[in-house]
Amino acid sequence: MLEKLFGKKALTIETMPKVELHRHLEGSLRVSTLIDIARQHSITVPTSLMRLSTLVQVQREEPYNFENFLAKFNTLRLFYRSPEVIHRVTQEAVEDAAKDNVRYMELRFTPVALSRAERFPLADVVDWVCESTLEASRKFGIKVKLIPSVNRHESVELAEQVAWLSAAKMDYGIVGLDLAGNEAQFPAEPFIGIFREARQSGLKVAVHAGEWGGPENIRQAIDQFEADRIGHGVRVLEDEYTVSLARDRQTCFEVCVTSNFQTGVVKELAQHPLKKMIDAGLNVTLNTDDPSISQITLSNEYKVAEETLGLSRETVQNCILAAARSSFLQEPEKLKLVEQLDRLFR
């Protein structure tokens, strides 16, 4: 199928079929859509594209640190005012990925964040996202699976509810459970039991670690959470044992280059450790994180990897294959995706 869509000789970064493992729904909203929602629901925010964009997107003149980056979500959380809004933003997130030739995506979403503005039941929010994703996947010709996310700074009780709902919806596109949030100030320990139970129920496990915290958080994610994948993990190189552990386990790293720069994890884009992680034999993939907040696409990230960080086109394609192999798809589907991509790239 992929071969019919994309001729081998015509492949460019833009037309290259892509795989995305780390994209947050809440960071994928179109500013033009936010303006429509603000007018429909009388939300008190600027309703000009330029002024609103400063509240929900990182600007060049702003400080690049995690406080500024996370502040964008404070404004975004005002907009989830109805089932129709959640349906629309989910559909558009899938459509935008498809336009960038993402052929397979695992979309994270945070049920607690989507429910908070109007106190929607978490079960309803999960249903709305599942239904909207399935509809959009069929409409735009892209395979999408879902990973509900819980935050370290929120209660264990809420995390338990999300984990239970996730396990109950595995037949509706949910494939994993993710731990996110501010790792610099909030520990992961209280959530270990929840994630172990989630794994026993059949869900895969992803943990944000080694972004704002050190390599000890990555070790904890691998050893105690038994994480299949690490969100970001760019500080892994600070500890040789952690590198060896991750390499031996073939733990997948979901690297988000522009996001790591904008959150201040790396001080200069050209200093990003992506290439060193690959050279160390780690299982590395390329992702957007929050494409609207960062004002990027996955194609942009591939360009940065090549033009700024010096990766070859073959290495970028190997990262795409690594993402397919590290996906949370069932084995038959995963093998089919890997084989299709491999034939096209080789």
Side-chain angles (χ1 to χ4, degrees):
M1 179 181 175
L2 293 177
E3 291 90 336
K4 293 178 182 178
L5 290 171
F6 305 105
K8 206 167 186 178
K9 293 181 180 178
L11 282 181
T12 64
I13 282 181
E14 286 76 17
T15 62
M16 200 157 50
K18 302 171 181 68
V19 176
E20 169 97 85
L21 299 182
H22 192 121
R23 181 181 300 212
H24 293 270
L25 172 61
E26 296 84 8
S28 303
L29 280 65
R30 300 174 185 172
V31 180
S32 58
T33 295
L34 297 179
I35 291 173
D36 286 347
I37 296 169
R39 289 171 175 162
Q40 291 166 10
H41 293 271
S42 301
I43 301 171
T44 307
V45 293
T47 52
S48 73
L49 199 66
M50 184 175 296
R51 292 181 64 202
L52 182 55
S53 68
T54 63
L55 296 177
V56 297
Q57 295 179 320
V58 174
Q59 309 297 312
R60 289 185 179 180
E61 65 275 10
E62 292 178 341
Y64 281 7
N65 55 49
F66 76 86
E67 292 92 350
N68 181 62
F69 195 92
L70 290 180
K72 307 303 178 183
F73 290 100
N74 295 334
T75 302
L76 288 168
R77 290 188 182 114
L78 301 173
F79 289 86
Y80 312 124
R81 295 301 182 93
S82 70
E84 292 75 23
V85 166
I86 293 173
H87 175 79
R88 178 177 177 180
V89 299
T90 303
Q91 291 247 320
E92 290 178 351
V94 174
E95 181 182 14
D96 289 344
K99 286 179 178 177
D100 194 32
N101 291 319
V102 177
R103 305 321 311 162
Y104 176 70
M105 174 169 68
E106 290 178 3
L107 184 64
R108 281 167 165 81
F109 71 104
T110 309
V112 173
L114 295 174
S115 69
R116 189 148 280 167
E118 295 293 332
R119 298 183 180 178
F120 296 129
L122 291 176
D124 288 351
V125 169
V126 171
D127 283 346
W128 298 336
V129 174
C130 287
E131 291 163 4
S132 302
T133 300
L134 181 60
E135 181 181 327
S137 178
R138 291 169 175 168
K139 182 177 180 180
F140 300 112
I142 170 177
K143 184 182 288 291
V144 183
K145 298 297 182 181
L146 294 165
I147 303 176
S149 188
V150 298
N151 286 315
R152 297 164 183 254
H153 59 271
E154 291 168 341
S155 72
V156 171
E157 289 73 23
L158 282 173
E160 286 176 333
Q161 291 180 51
V162 173
W164 184 87
L165 290 167
S166 300
K169 290 292 180 179
M170 290 176 64
D171 290 337
Y172 296 87
I174 290 179
V175 291
L177 186 68
D178 172 55
L179 180 66
N182 183 351
E183 67 169 325
Q185 297 175 333
F186 295 90
E189 282 86 355
F191 302 91
I192 292 172
I194 294 171
F195 276 77
R196 286 180 174 171
E197 289 180 9
R199 173 175 287 286
Q200 290 173 0
S201 73
L203 291 167
K204 298 291 187 177
V205 171
V207 176
H208 284 63
E211 181 187 15
W212 302 321
E216 65 277 7
N217 290 353
I218 300 172
R219 292 197 303 274
Q220 179 189 56
I222 296 173
D223 278 337
Q224 298 181 45
F225 282 80
E226 299 179 356
D228 301 281
R229 301 203 310 245
I230 302 295
H232 303 286
V234 292
R235 294 184 61 183
V236 63
L237 297 176
E238 295 175 15
D239 180 70
E240 290 184 8
Y241 173 77
T242 307
V243 172
S244 177
L245 176 67
R247 185 171 53 229
D248 291 346
R249 302 272 184 94
Q250 274 300 288
T251 305
C252 174
F253 287 83
E254 307 160 348
V255 177
C256 310
V257 175
T258 298
S259 172
N260 297 154
F261 177 46
Q262 291 178 342
T263 58
V265 175
V266 295
K267 299 305 178 185
E268 299 291 339
L269 199 57
Q271 296 175 1
H272 193 283
L274 172 67
K275 190 173 187 301
K276 291 181 179 178
M277 292 173 71
I278 295 171
D279 291 343
L282 295 172
N283 182 15
V284 176
T285 66
L286 284 163
N287 308 273
T288 59
D289 200 15
D290 300 288
S292 179
I293 291 175
S294 293
Q295 302 189 62
I296 58 170
T297 63
L298 192 51
S299 289
N300 292 143
E301 293 299 89
Y302 292 177
K303 286 181 181 178
V304 169
E306 288 188 5
E307 298 172 6
T308 305
L309 302 180
L311 269 62
S312 67
R313 178 60 54 87
E314 181 180 5
T315 301
V316 169
Q317 290 176 345
N318 285 339
C319 287
I320 298 172
L321 289 168
R325 294 187 186 101
S326 300
S327 70
F328 290 163
L329 285 168
Q330 294 294 320
E331 282 303 316
E333 289 183 288
K334 181 187 300 188
L335 289 173
K336 184 178 179 181
L337 176 62
V338 171
E339 288 170 1
Q340 288 176 331
L341 291 167
D342 191 51
R343 283 198 303 271
L344 186 58
F345 292 155
R346 306 302 173 190

